[in-house]
């Protein structure tokens, strides 16, 4: 007989939320293993003694955890998702008939708490992972990722620059003690040059008029942080990845332990920085997090983007053992020239050359802002050299070599990588398989693709929350090997080893018996008769 279910809601019903959620539910396990009572003392200073009660700080952070665990970026969608789930209601401590906090309360509370509260929660989860034996500190792999800012490229506004900057600078220097550097003048000139190049060939786009004949705003082909800024989020920066369009981003820096891929350090930075400029910040935070638990960092692994003279000098000063490939422009040696370190000059050793000396001429800064040491030969030495055109060029009458002021640090790293190339290649593989899957998980499954707040401080909170949620999920699913299981594995290996030894003994015994048969006297006599 076919059944048919008729639903009629009851006016009154007696249910227990605890009975409705299975014991093996994820949020029920999380509720039993994560103690957040310390947050009350840490957030007490953010509230006064009068007025209405705020949202429970523990409930607030639990709601955030639910959002990052389920990859929900919107506060409205997050509260709707929490209200619709029995297990999450049990995790938050809200019964079926209770209304959850309003979504705007989550936004305001996120902005109320400082970064130190989020960092403290990150350290709390990290300490749980350390207590479970998930971190050893031998190697830390570092990498970065762009995080989409909560702002549009259409909101960019051109920076205001005085038309006659030179006259203003001169007048300012005459009438005040403040001295304007030549760098400021250079940036102003570059901005005016960019304006002329960007709007070249566009009708009605001269001066302040950037409207075409249809009344539409004319935007330049290329924008940068030197010429534009975002009033919506001034901390967001224009950045671009190869093969992708320009957009406003933040920079997320992640450090991962290679034992079980636990995040040991996380922070946000401005997207117009290079990886090498962010290395000291992420490394210091990682060291502080681990040294609290008496764990020392053994090795640091990073890609070539973290290679710079300042970064390598910092690592050498801090005595950090790092494996970072040198950037592409680095040259370990100059073909046809030898460097005399004691007297600080280059010597030409080309066959057929005149062995000219390239003397040290001082330090200079190139167009990209890199400080270099310059070595140059005299025109009289290279004038009669048969290799002058090949070495110096057709029009140049002297040879010049520029070296980075941090060349000794590049050389030291190059020597480390070439002394044991097999180990260096292994470290490259360890770095890629350690930190890159973690960043992929954070971006695609832990809500770190886009930040729904504004400002660098809130971006840092976003990175910390995504990272600690990743660690928390790994902590709950991690299983330590029990001593009984380890003993069983050892016994199995011992049995295999004993079996192999017995086989080897009996096989060798058979071989000895066969050999002794032929060495018997009757066997020798029979062989001689035949």
């Amino acid at each position: 007989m076919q059944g048919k279910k008729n639903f009629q809601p009851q006016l009154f019903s007696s249910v227990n939320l605890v009975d409705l959620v299975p014991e093996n539910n994820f949020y029920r396990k999380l509720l039993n293993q994560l103690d957040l009572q310390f947050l009350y003392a840490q957030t007490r200073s953010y509230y006064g003694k009068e007025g209405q009660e705020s949202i429970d700080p523990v409930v607030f952070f639990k709601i955030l955890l639910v959002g990052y665990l389920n990859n929900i970026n919107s506060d409205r969608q997050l509260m709707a998702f929490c209200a619709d789930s029995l297990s999450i209601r049990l995790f938050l401590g809200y019964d079926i008939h209770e209304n959850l906090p309003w979504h705007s309360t989550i936004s305001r509370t996120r902005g109320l708490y400082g970064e130190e509260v989020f960092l403290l929660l990150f350290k709390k989860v990290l300490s749980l992972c350390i207590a479970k034996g998930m971190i050893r500190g031998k190697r830390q792999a570092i990498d970065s990722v762009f995080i989409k800012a909560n702002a549009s490229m259409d909101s960019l506004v051109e920076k205001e620059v005085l038309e006659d900057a030179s006259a203003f600078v001169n007048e300012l220097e005459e009438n005040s003690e403040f001295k304007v550097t030549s760098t400021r003048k250079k940036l102003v000139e570059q901005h005016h040059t960019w304006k002329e190049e960007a709007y070249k060939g566009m009708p009605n786009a001269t001066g302040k008029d950037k409207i075409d004949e249809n009344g539409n705003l004319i935007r330049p082909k290329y924008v940068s942080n030197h010429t534009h800024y975002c009033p919506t989020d001034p901390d967001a920066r224009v950045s671009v990845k190869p093969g992708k369009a320009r957009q406003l981003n933040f920079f997320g820096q992640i450090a991962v332990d290679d034992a079980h891929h636990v995040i040991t350090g996380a922070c946000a930075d401005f997207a117009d920085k290079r990886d090498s400029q962010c290395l000291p910040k992420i490394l210091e935070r990682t060291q502080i997090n681990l040294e609290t638990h008496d764990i020392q960092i053994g090795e640091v692994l990073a890609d070539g983007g973290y290679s710079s003279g300042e970064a390598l000098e910092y690592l050498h000063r801090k005595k950090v053992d790092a494996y970072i490939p040198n950037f592409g422009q680095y040259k370990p040696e100059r073909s046809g020239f030898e460097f005399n370190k004691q007297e600080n000059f280059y010597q030409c050793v080309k066959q057929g050359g005149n062995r000219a000396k390239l003397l040290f001429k001082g330090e200079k800064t190139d167009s990209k802002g890199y400080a270099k040491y310059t070595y140059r030969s005299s025109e009289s030495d290279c004038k009669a050299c048969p290799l002058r055109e090949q070495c110096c060029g057709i029009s140049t009458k002297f040879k010049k070599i520029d070296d980075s002021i941090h060349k000794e640090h590049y050389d030291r790293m190059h020597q480390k990588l070439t002394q044991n190339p097999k180990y260096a290649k292994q470290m490259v593989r360890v770095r890629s398989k350690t930190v890159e899957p973690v960043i992929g998980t954070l971006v695609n499954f832990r809500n770190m693709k886009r930040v729904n707040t504004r400002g660098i401080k809130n971006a840092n909170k976003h990175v910390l929350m995504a990272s600690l949620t990743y660690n928390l999920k790994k902590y709950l699913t991690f299983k330590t090997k029990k001593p009984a299981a380890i003993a069983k594995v050892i016994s199995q290996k011992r049995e295999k080893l004993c079996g192999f030894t017995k086989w080897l003994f009996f096989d060798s015994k058979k071989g000895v018996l066969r050999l002794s048969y032929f060495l018997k006297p009757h066997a020798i006599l029979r062989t001689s008769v035949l």
Side-chain angles (χ1 to χ4, degrees), residues 13 82 96 113 123 127 144 174 215 223 266 287 303 313 316 343 358 368-369 380 393 494:
S13 61
C82 292
I96 297 177
Y113 294 157
K123 292 181 178 180
S127 64
S144 61
E174 291 176 359
V223 293
Q287 286 178 328
D303 57 18
E313 183 183 10
H316 179 67
E343 300 184 15
L358 280 69
K368 295 182 180 180
S380 59
R494 185 178 297 171

Side-chain angles (χ1 to χ4, degrees), residues 127-167:
S127 64
L128 295 176
C129 297
I130 293 175
K132 209 170 184 179
M134 301 172 64
I135 296 175
R136 61 176 179 174
K138 185 176 181 180
R139 297 187 187 94
Q140 304 299 315
I142 299 176
D143 207 347
S144 61
V145 62
F146 283 138
I147 304 172
K148 178 72 174 64
N150 188 17
S152 173
M153 289 287 288
D154 294 333
S155 64
L156 290 177
V157 177
E158 184 182 344
K159 293 181 179 179
E160 295 183 1
V161 179
L162 293 176
E163 294 296 332
D164 193 2
S166 301

Side-chain angles (χ1 to χ4, degrees), residues 446-499:
R446 293 294 172 265
N447 196 15
M448 211 173 78
K449 181 180 294 184
R450 184 180 186 274
V451 60
N452 62 349
T453 55
R454 289 167 182 168
I456 187 64
K457 293 183 178 180
N458 287 324
N460 192 38
K461 299 175 187 177
H462 180 72
V463 175
L464 287 171
M465 283 301 304
S467 301
L468 71 90
T469 306
Y470 174 88
N471 288 346
L472 189 60
K473 182 69 177 293
K474 186 172 284 290
Y475 168 78
L476 293 175
T477 57
F478 181 78
K479 295 181 180 180
T480 57
K481 293 183 179 180
K482 298 181 180 180
I486 297 175
K488 184 177 180 181
V489 172
I490 294 175
S491 62
Q492 291 177 353
K493 291 184 178 180
R494 185 178 297 171
E495 290 178 1
K496 291 181 180 180
L497 182 61
C498 293

Side-chain angles (χ1 to χ4, degrees), residues 367-423:
S367 58
K368 295 182 180 180
Y370 296 109
K372 295 182 177 181
Y373 292 140
T374 301
Y375 299 86
R376 208 187 88 169
S377 65
S378 64
E379 295 184 7
S380 59
D381 291 341
C382 295
K383 184 177 181 179
C385 180
L387 303 177
R388 184 186 65 81
E389 292 186 3
Q390 179 183 353
C391 181
C392 305
I394 300 175
S395 59
T396 308
K397 298 180 181 179
F398 57 86
K399 178 65 178 178
K400 186 178 72 169
I401 293 178
D402 291 334
D403 280 340
S404 172
I405 62 174
H406 302 100
K407 188 176 185 300
E408 59 173 339
H409 301 293
Y410 289 116
D411 292 339
R412 190 183 299 109
M413 182 61 68
H414 176 74
Q415 185 179 5
K416 180 192 293 187
L417 297 177
T418 54
Q419 278 182 348
N420 194 351
K422 185 176 180 181
Y423 185 76

Side-chain angles (χ1 to χ4, degrees), residues 36 48-49 53 110 146 191 204 248 251 257 269 273 278 376 383 386 423 451 457 495 508 515:
L36 300 178
K49 297 182 180 180
E53 289 188 357
R110 185 190 289 111
F146 283 138
H191 187 87
N204 301 327
L248 292 167
F251 219 6
D257 187 84
D269 215 325
K273 286 187 176 182
C278 304
R376 208 187 88 169
K383 184 177 181 179
Y423 185 76
V451 60
K457 293 183 178 180
E495 290 178 1
S508 59
L515 181 61

